[in-house]
Amino acid sequence: MNVSMEKQPRMTETVQSAPRGQEAAEQPAVQVSNLGKSFGAVEVLRDIELEISTGEVITLIGPSGSGKSTLIRCMNLLETPSSGTLQVMGETLVQDGKILPKRSQLQEFRAKVGMVFQSFNLFPHLSALENISLAQVHTLGRRRAEADERSAQLLDSVGLGQRMNHMPAHLSGGQQQRVAIARALAMDPDVMLFDEPTSAIDPELRVEVLKVMRDLAQSGMTMAIVTHELKFARMISDQVLFLADGTIVERGTPDELFGAPQHERTHQFLAAIEETKL
Amino acid sequence: MIWLTDVLAVIPISLFIWAVSLVLGAVVAVPTAGARMSQLRPVRILAAVYIEIFRGIPTLVWLFVIFFGLRTFGLSPTALVSAILTLGIASSAYIAETYRSGLSSVPIQQREATTALGLSPRLSLIKIVLPQAKPIIFAGLGSYAIHLLKETALTSLIGVVEMMTVANYLVERGANGLTVFFVTGVIYMLLCLPIAGAVRLLGRSRRQNRPAGPDSLTPLSTPTAPPECAAPWHGMRWHECNSSST
Ligand SMILES: Nc1ncnc2c1ncn2[C@@H]1O[C@H](COP(=O)(O)OP(=O)(O)OP(=O)(O)O)[C@@H](O)[C@H]1O
Ligand SMILES: [Mg+2]
């Protein structure tokens, strides 16, 4: 994947965190502690400890079934953790496996955590623009005109200004995913979650999505990404976590984890991925 | 063919039974479908039992049960009321299943997307799920409405004065059975045609005739994804089911 990106200083980071004052610097955007998740009797996640600072980009990698999706879905409560604590932007959402906020507060919170799905999940009966405007109007209470203006702006910024009135079925996978990213960004989220955003896209179209994500990272967005694009992960991440069998086996900077993996399990996984590339 | 006017004269009665039963069924089907899809298992089971009882036992049996059976309890509904009650309740069971299959044809990921955007379940249903379920629901409703119109003929057996009753009467009075029944059958068929057309119009999505917009001339790239990836497929499904109703 040819997304060139030097690790640049995040210019907007200071801008973004400035109004939040000093607290923001100390308070991680997302804090997960001792989190566990079971589906019935099957334990899918256990003892997850994880912290994402404001403006940080973390990547979750790991074999299929290791619990990556479940973990990222716990972060916006699409799955309810069975145990442990979850804090987002300083607010405790889950304590000892119990969701604290009321339903209406939960909706507000969810809007603040953007989610991008592997299968895009655009609304097929709405145009690209309407897909992005819908929740702005109904969740944030923006006026339709204001929402549409913002949507058009966002579509422009993901390179789809010319596709505003297209229906999702008339867009390529890469284009649909960029609309989905714009849709999540329209909520002005504090954190963006990506669950294998390029896995369902033709290889030659992936780069256009990765570029958008790279730009987003550079603008200072706090991001958690599940991906198999290791090269991209290496370029974009501040922290990489290797998940296997529902636990974080190893974590570190991209150079540490990809360059000198400490655990046999990590080694095997990275080697296996290398092999499939041949 | 002077007898023909006698048959034509009671068309409004057949249509009345049909329309009232259909509306009754469509309304009662809403809570029934809701119960059938409830989070609560007992409620779900209760709804399933209701649906299977009314779908599994012949409508004619229910017609007799209600018309003759309710007398045991001191109730004596007229033939017309019994007819509407029976057909209405039976319809509610069928239509509830139509609603359910329409709603569950919308992939769960659509709801997840709305949840992630902070939309309430109610808005999610109104803005996202129902519009996508609509073509499927209307297709089911359409074929059921036609089926129901023919079912109204059963009500002649409890003495409702509708088309079949009149046809029977005429034949008993010496009219040619083959002609009378055949013509009556054709009348049923002709009545079904506009129903099918009307339902097709109602089910049509507002997008169907709408151009994609000023930028629609740009070449379209086909959505491609591995089969295990849901979205483009759902996109296709949506597309197909729209065009199939044209
Ligand atoms: N709703 C569910 N009910 C029961 N089991 C589930 C559910 N969702 C996930 N699981 C199980 O949890 C485990 C972890 O699943 P998860 O989807 O989080 O893995 P993953 O790391 O994202 O895998 P992949 O790379 O294939 O996407 C799997 O064994 C899966 O079968
Ligand atoms: Mg997954």
Side-chain angles (χ1 to χ4, degrees):
Chain A
M1 215 54 27
N2 290 319
V3 188
S4 57
M5 187 183 91
E6 265 94 85
K7 269 267 163 194
Q8 293 166 352
R10 298 222 166 91
M11 287 187 289
T12 42
E13 192 174 349
T14 43
V15 179
Q16 205 188 39
S17 43
R20 294 199 188 105
Q22 274 193 311
E23 267 171 77
E26 289 156 20
Q27 188 78 61
V30 179
Q31 176 138 35
V32 173
S33 36
N34 198 25
L35 183 136
K37 172 68 184 175
S38 304
F39 290 108
V42 185
E43 193 179 42
V44 175
L45 291 175
R46 64 199 142 85
D47 301 332
I48 302 287
E49 301 283 339
L50 166 66
E51 210 177 280
I52 314 175
S53 317
T54 304
E56 194 181 24
V57 176
I58 72 150
T59 311
L60 296 166
I61 61 170
S64 181
S66 57
K68 306 181 296 295
S69 296
T70 308
L71 175 54
I72 212 157
R73 287 161 61 87
C74 279
M75 290 186 206
N76 73 346
L77 299 182
L78 277 181
E79 303 288 357
T80 311
S82 313
S83 59
T85 309
L86 169 70
Q87 286 178 308
V88 176
M89 301 312 287
E91 200 167 325
T92 306
L93 298 166
V94 178
Q95 186 140 41
D96 299 325
K98 282 225 173 63
I99 294 183
L100 297 186
K102 286 198 295 269
R103 209 190 203 181
S104 56
Q105 294 169 312
L106 212 54
Q107 282 167 21
E108 251 167 67
F109 149 75
R110 280 211 178 92
K112 288 285 152 206
V113 179
M115 178 86 178
V116 175
F117 300 90
Q118 177 174 359
S119 50
F120 329 134
N121 303 356
L122 291 183
F123 308 128
H125 60 301
L126 300 179
S127 70
L129 188 87
E130 290 165 326
N131 260 279
I132 305 173
S133 291
L134 183 85
Q136 292 183 64
V137 172
H138 294 290
T139 306
L140 303 183
R142 286 188 188 146
R143 280 178 300 109
R144 163 77 47 190
E146 191 189 343
D148 284 348
E149 197 184 314
R150 175 95 170 103
S151 305
Q153 226 175 41
L154 282 163
L155 275 173
D156 250 341
S157 73
V158 297
L160 292 171
Q162 301 301 308
R163 297 284 194 279
M164 285 204 299
N165 297 317
H166 279 241
M167 303 306 280
H170 294 168
L171 295 170
S172 74
Q175 291 170 334
Q176 287 191 57
Q177 192 62 297
R178 284 184 282 154
V179 174
I181 293 173
R183 181 174 70 177
L185 288 175
M187 301 283 97
D188 298 326
D190 296 314
V191 183
M192 284 283 286
L193 309 174
F194 297 82
D195 189 1
E196 299 198 35
T198 56
S199 298
I201 301 174
D202 280 354
E204 75 271 20
L205 300 177
R206 288 179 186 170
V207 66
E208 62 195 31
V209 172
L210 296 178
K211 275 183 181 154
V212 167
M213 292 172 65
R214 178 201 61 190
D215 291 347
L216 197 58
Q218 278 174 357
S219 79
M221 178 60 76
T222 309
M223 294 161 70
I225 307 166
V226 174
T227 186
H228 292 295
E229 307 273 356
L230 298 189
K231 212 170 147 193
F232 175 71
R234 192 163 185 166
M235 282 189 298
I236 199 177
S237 318
D238 298 302
Q239 202 189 149
V240 182
L241 292 83
F242 173 66
L243 218 71
D245 300 328
T247 51
I248 297 170
V249 172
E250 185 166 355
R251 68 179 89 204
T253 64
D255 285 342
E256 286 166 3
L257 201 121
F258 294 118
Q262 299 298 304
H263 286 255
E264 184 53 29
R265 211 48 222 276
T266 320
H267 212 81
Q268 281 170 0
F269 175 74
L270 294 175
I273 291 237
E274 271 315 304
E275 227 167 279
T276 59
K277 292 242 166 86
L278 296 179
Chain B
M1 292 273 269
I2 192 124
W3 52 266
L4 185 60
T5 51
D6 292 338
V7 178
L8 293 176
V10 293
I11 285 181
I13 296 183
S14 293
L15 286 181
F16 177 76
I17 297 173
W18 170 77
V20 177
S21 314
L22 190 63
V23 171
L24 181 66
V27 170
V28 176
V30 173
T32 308
R36 184 71 186 80
M37 298 167 82
S38 164
Q39 308 270 343
L40 304 169
R41 210 172 118 89
V43 175
R44 223 162 48 225
I45 291 173
L46 214 67
V49 168
Y50 172 88
I51 288 168
E52 291 317 323
I53 284 179
F54 284 99
R55 286 200 314 178
I57 296 175
T59 313
L60 185 58
V61 173
W62 282 119
L63 199 61
F64 284 180
V65 164
I66 287 178
F67 186 58
F68 300 112
L70 286 187
R71 287 182 190 168
T72 332
F73 303 102
L75 296 166
S76 47
T78 64
L80 189 67
V81 169
S82 304
I84 288 172
L85 215 58
T86 307
L87 293 179
I89 292 173
S91 300
S92 74
Y94 277 96
I95 297 174
E97 281 299 277
T98 306
Y99 289 165
R100 185 170 75 103
S101 65
L103 292 175
S104 50
S105 74
V106 180
I108 182 85
Q109 287 91 340
Q110 288 286 308
R111 267 194 188 271
E112 283 187 350
T114 60
T115 306
L117 288 165
L119 284 184
S120 66
R122 196 181 64 91
L123 272 171
S124 169
L125 182 71
I126 294 171
K127 296 283 176 189
I128 301 305
V129 179
L130 281 179
Q132 293 181 58
K134 200 175 108 180
I136 293 170
I137 289 177
F138 272 97
L141 270 181
S143 51
Y144 184 71
I146 289 167
H147 171 76
L148 182 65
L149 183 64
K150 293 183 291 178
E151 293 261 280
T152 59
L154 289 175
T155 64
S156 70
L157 291 167
I158 56 168
V160 176
V161 185
E162 53 75 68
M163 288 192 283
M164 275 306 285
T165 317
V166 173
N168 241 325
Y169 177 80
L170 290 167
V171 174
E172 275 166 20
R173 287 305 178 88
N176 180 317
L178 186 64
T179 324
V180 171
F181 286 129
F182 178 74
V183 169
T184 307
V186 170
I187 294 174
Y188 275 107
M189 197 190 80
L190 292 177
L191 289 176
C192 287
L193 290 178
I195 298 175
V199 170
R200 204 173 302 144
L201 272 178
L202 281 171
R204 189 182 284 185
S205 104
R206 93 190 141 96
R207 289 316 167 108
Q208 208 157 23
N209 300 321
R210 212 189 91 156
D215 48 357
S216 64
L217 289 180
T218 37
L220 307 174
S221 25
T222 347
T224 41
E228 69 267 20
C229 152
W233 285 93
H234 297 313
M236 297 309 272
R237 176 148 30 120
W238 162 258
H239 207 62
E240 280 162 15
C241 79
N242 271 345
S243 45
S244 68
S245 62
T246 336

